Amino acid sequence: MLSFTDYLARYPREAAFGDEEPAVVFDRYHAPGFTLHNDGLTLDRDRIVAHIRPVRRNAVAVDVDIHQALTRGDQVAARYTLTAQLRSGAVVATDIHVIGRVADDGRMLRLDQLTRTVEGDR
């Protein structure tokens, strides 16, 4: 079973740079019925998979810096920064605070997150 910190580090990289179809990558890490509640917007599997396609076109590097991660039973929480370098040369850094639930098989079942774009050089 994949640890929560491994999920946080691996999933964004595989989604952005993997050779497999985005839906295959998504399904490896997320249980059926998964929902992401991001800054008040609910995203289901189809919306997230659709989001992966432009990420693959635009990102050249992704870095995940996990500041804090906690797990207790099927509950998880973390505070981390995801930094993406784009083909345009821009760098986008986002602080993410997330809480969630893990399915019995170890895949993510639900994540609720708040994000904030980090200003300045990174």
Side-chain angles (χ1 to χ4, degrees):
M1 189 178 320
L2 193 67
S3 74
F4 184 50
T5 55
D6 285 342
Y7 164 81
L8 294 173
R10 288 183 189 176
Y11 173 67
R13 288 186 185 104
E14 285 187 36
F17 306 114
D19 293 331
E20 297 172 296
E21 285 296 314
V24 172
V25 175
F26 179 88
D27 291 341
R28 180 172 30 259
Y29 289 95
H30 303 93
F34 172 84
T35 54
L36 169 65
H37 303 271
N38 184 66
D39 296 332
L41 180 64
T42 300
L43 303 170
D44 64 7
R45 178 186 183 274
D46 292 340
R47 288 185 75 179
I48 295 168
V49 168
H51 174 73
I52 293 172
R53 296 182 203 298
V55 168
R56 286 187 171 186
R57 284 192 307 272
N58 295 319
V60 295
V62 172
D63 179 62
V64 176
D65 182 13
I66 301 169
H67 309 297
Q68 189 174 31
L70 306 167
T71 60
R72 187 177 77 190
D74 69 345
Q75 299 177 55
V76 294
R79 183 176 56 84
Y80 65 103
T81 302
L82 186 143
T83 304
Q85 182 178 352
L86 306 180
R87 289 191 196 288
S88 66
V91 175
V92 179
T94 307
D95 281 339
I96 302 170
H97 296 232
V98 63
I99 58 172
R101 286 193 53 224
V102 179
D104 290 340
D105 66 4
R107 293 183 291 170
M108 292 298 119
L109 185 57
R110 177 186 172 114
L111 293 174
D112 292 89
Q113 65 184 31
L114 298 172
T115 67
R116 154 181 96 81
T117 301
V118 178
E119 301 296 327
D121 257 352
R122 280 225 163 204

